[in-house]
Amino acid sequence: MHPDIQEILVSEKAIIARCEELGKKITKDYEGKKPILVALLKGSVPFMAELMKYIDLDLEIDFMDVSSYDGTESVGDVRINKDLSNSVQDDDIILVEDIVDTGRTLKRVIEFLYQKGAKSVKVVSLLDKPDRRVVKIDADYVGFKVPNEFVVGFGLDYNQRYRNLPYVGILKRECY
Ligand code: 5GP
């Protein structure tokens, strides 16, 4: 285990097994459709890469990069740093998130995708921190619920570090 990690919350093995379950469920739910998986950079990349192996559909992938206006918790709006590469007009979108915390990012990005003409937007998130929700919104597919702790790994960072850890763990308090 990395020395900056206090405790592993979700092991690599558990993440892979859950991705397989979620992938199979999405395959069933979207039978006959050609969804576009849209991952939010950068935290959702490892999760999308693992999840899509288990989605047996004729799908496409795309990426968006969004951030809070100034990065503080009190600011509720988000800025689009990188837009989609292709049109999503009349498409079924599966938005891939690393973690749903306050829910603000999710709400704004879903609105944005509908403005772009998406037919439907559903959300799959690796992690969910329900205790922190400010906006009444939930992911349609959730990997794991986590407590109100700052977590890193499997894509999630602290100052761009720890994204490459193969598990999700709680960062030691002295590290931030
Ligand atoms: P929301 O808009 O739901 O508050 O924010 C979601 C975003 O906040 C996530 O995509 C993620 O980038 C960041 N975030 C929220 N909680 C955590 C956490 O525990 N660890 C890390 N590394 N990022 C988090």
Side-chain angles (χ1 to χ4, degrees), residues 81-103:
N81 300 322
K82 186 217 165 288
D83 201 345
L84 297 162
S85 302
N86 296 110
S87 161
V88 292
Q89 186 72 45
D90 298 324
D91 285 314
D92 294 303
I93 305 290
I94 303 174
L95 189 56
V96 184
E97 251 289 38
D98 51 1
I99 185 165
V100 185
D101 186 29
T102 64

Side-chain angles (χ1 to χ4, degrees), residues 6 19 23 25 27-28 35-36 39 43-44 51 58 63 76 79-80 94 97 101 110 116 134 141 148 154 162:
Q6 179 186 310
C19 283
K25 174 120 180 58
T27 303
K28 214 181 258 175
I36 302 179
S44 308
L51 176 70
D58 188 7
F63 300 90
R79 177 173 53 202
I80 311 291
I94 303 174
E97 251 289 38
D101 186 29
I110 291 170
K116 289 247 169 188
V134 171
Y141 307 92
N148 189 8
F154 216 87
Y162 310 109

Side-chain angles (χ1 to χ4, degrees), residues 2 22 44 76 78 82 84 97 99 105 120 124 138 157 163:
H2 192 290
L22 290 174
S44 308
V78 296
K82 186 217 165 288
L84 297 162
E97 251 289 38
I99 185 165
T105 309
S120 71
V124 57
D138 283 315
D157 74 310
R163 292 192 197 277

Side-chain angles (χ1 to χ4, degrees), residues 16 57 114 131 133 170:
I16 293 169
L57 295 169
Y114 277 120
D131 295 347
R133 205 74 90 249
I170 300 175

Side-chain angles (χ1 to χ4, degrees), residues 62-77:
D62 207 339
F63 300 90
M64 280 179 72
D65 184 17
V66 304
S67 58
S68 300
Y69 274 124
D70 70 0
T72 60
E73 284 194 11
S74 58
V75 174
D77 215 338

